[in-house]
Amino acid sequence: KKLYDLHIAKVIDELIIENTNIGKLNAILKGLRSVTEPFVTIADADILFLNNWDVEVFKIFKTFKKAAVVSPIPLFRNQLSYTANIWLDYLFSSKLKFRSVKNPVALEQFAKSIGWSSLENRFKDVIVTLKEDNVTTVISATHCVATYKTSYLRDLPKMSSKYKLGGDSERKYLDEPPYKKDGYRLSTYDNYAYHLGNTIEDWQRKAYTSLTSVTVKQDLPEIVINEPKTNVVRAFLKKIFLKLLTYRPVYNFLLLRKGLTKAQLKQFWY
């Protein structure tokens, strides 16, 4: 009812209502296939956006020309999730390395929102980041909220997903298309949104009440969007790189080269 009222009040431009459960991904596809804007944000219903989340997200799009997906929620231990292209580009660069987690409290709150009882310190001490022009970003992105360059989503599979939830739906429709076109999957270094989960907690109420109203429209930076293309050679190199990392000594060597200490490496693996 509230969404319908907002639509009538023209706060929401388009509202799609289904009488049957067609599944999360298929609901997203209904809107995604008709998007004409250069960017689209896909978010679960239980996301609390913090002030300036969009400013920080678009700062990353502005800085990293190949950024295709940017989330306002950084994740731990996600450094190889559709990111082999980033590793290849910065394999010998100090711009890609482990840095201290910017907001370990928010990282633990995300873990609790997905059912974890707590988050061990070894998961929230350091995180793989990339830095350009004083802008730091975290490698990879979560599915619960992310902004996409729509140019990277033009070649989506034509068939609908057979899964209502889970399966290969997010991988097939949201992860692989940008990755095949060599797009970067990134997140903000600090946390600019919360995944609330199924239980309302006091910290969530405090986060909500601390938000300030935005009364003045803030223009986002102008971003030049180049037409992304699939590169067969890059695809081959990414497969070789990931194959090499299946060998633990090779992966460990890379982690150490990117700033992990020997003590941290011992606790790195689950």
Side-chain angles (χ1 to χ4, degrees), residues 38-39 52-65 135 149 217-225:
F39 295 91
N52 294 322
W53 74 272
D54 49 349
V55 174
E56 297 300 325
V57 162
F58 279 90
K59 186 185 296 182
I60 293 174
F61 278 118
K62 177 72 173 179
T63 305
F64 301 93
K65 307 305 180 185
V135 175
K149 276 182 185 171
K217 182 179 179 181
Q218 182 171 349
D219 292 331
L220 296 174
E222 291 186 9
I223 298 172
V224 177
I225 301 177

Side-chain angles (χ1 to χ4, degrees), residues 121-181:
N121 287 332
R122 64 192 179 108
F123 293 130
K124 56 185 178 183
D125 55 352
V126 291
I127 199 165
V128 181
T129 62
L130 179 62
K131 188 173 184 178
E132 289 272 12
D133 299 331
N134 291 320
V135 175
T136 303
T137 181
V138 171
I139 302 303
S140 200
T142 180
H143 289 124
C144 63
V145 55
T147 299
Y148 296 73
K149 276 182 185 171
T150 52
S151 56
Y152 284 88
L153 297 175
R154 287 184 184 142
D155 297 329
L156 295 174
K158 298 186 184 302
M159 299 296 292
S160 297
S161 174
K162 63 181 179 180
Y163 298 100
K164 290 186 176 179
L165 191 65
D168 66 351
S169 56
E170 289 174 322
R171 172 182 63 80
K172 185 176 180 180
Y173 292 88
L174 298 179
D175 297 340
E176 290 183 353
Y179 183 65
K180 287 179 178 178
K181 292 187 176 183

Side-chain angles (χ1 to χ4, degrees), residues 22-224:
I22 63 173
K24 172 185 175 180
L25 207 286
N26 289 329
I28 290 173
L29 289 175
K30 278 221 168 185
L32 200 56
R33 294 193 192 280
S34 61
V35 169
T36 58
E37 289 79 7
F39 295 91
V40 59
T41 298
I42 301 173
D44 289 355
D46 60 343
I47 296 297
L48 175 62
F49 291 93
L50 303 182
N51 287 122
N52 294 322
W53 74 272
D54 49 349
V55 174
E56 297 300 325
V57 162
F58 279 90
K59 186 185 296 182
I60 293 174
F61 278 118
K62 177 72 173 179
T63 305
F64 301 93
K65 307 305 180 185
K66 292 170 70 174
V69 186
V70 181
S71 172
I73 298 179
L75 285 185
F76 55 91
R77 297 295 192 270
N78 219 31
Q79 65 274 352
L80 281 180
S81 179
Y82 296 96
T83 60
N85 53 340
I86 305 175
W87 283 91
L88 285 174
D89 285 346
Y90 292 90
L91 193 59
F92 303 105
S93 172
S94 61
K95 294 177 181 179
L96 177 67
K97 68 178 183 179
F98 282 93
R99 290 181 173 86
S100 298
V101 170
K102 181 74 172 180
N103 193 334
V105 173
L107 207 61
E108 174 146 5
Q109 287 166 338
F110 178 83
K112 289 182 178 180
S113 76
I114 59 174
W116 291 35
S117 59
S118 62
L119 188 63
E120 297 178 44
N121 287 332
R122 64 192 179 108
F123 293 130
K124 56 185 178 183
D125 55 352
V126 291
I127 199 165
V128 181
T129 62
L130 179 62
K131 188 173 184 178
E132 289 272 12
D133 299 331
N134 291 320
V135 175
T136 303
T137 181
V138 171
I139 302 303
S140 200
T142 180
H143 289 124
C144 63
V145 55
T147 299
Y148 296 73
K149 276 182 185 171
T150 52
S151 56
Y152 284 88
L153 297 175
R154 287 184 184 142
D155 297 329
L156 295 174
K158 298 186 184 302
M159 299 296 292
S160 297
S161 174
K162 63 181 179 180
Y163 298 100
K164 290 186 176 179
L165 191 65
D168 66 351
S169 56
E170 289 174 322
R171 172 182 63 80
K172 185 176 180 180
Y173 292 88
L174 298 179
D175 297 340
E176 290 183 353
Y179 183 65
K180 287 179 178 178
K181 292 187 176 183
D182 207 26
Y184 287 0
R185 190 173 186 86
L186 304 168
S187 301
T188 52
Y189 188 31
D190 204 347
N191 185 81
Y192 290 96
Y194 288 116
H195 177 254
L196 300 180
N198 299 320
T199 304
I200 298 177
E201 301 180 53
D202 288 339
W203 69 264
Q204 296 172 350
R205 293 190 179 92
K206 291 178 181 178
Y208 178 75
T209 56
S210 67
L211 295 177
T212 57
S213 297
V214 178
T215 57
V216 179
K217 182 179 179 181
Q218 182 171 349
D219 292 331
L220 296 174
E222 291 186 9
I223 298 172
V224 177

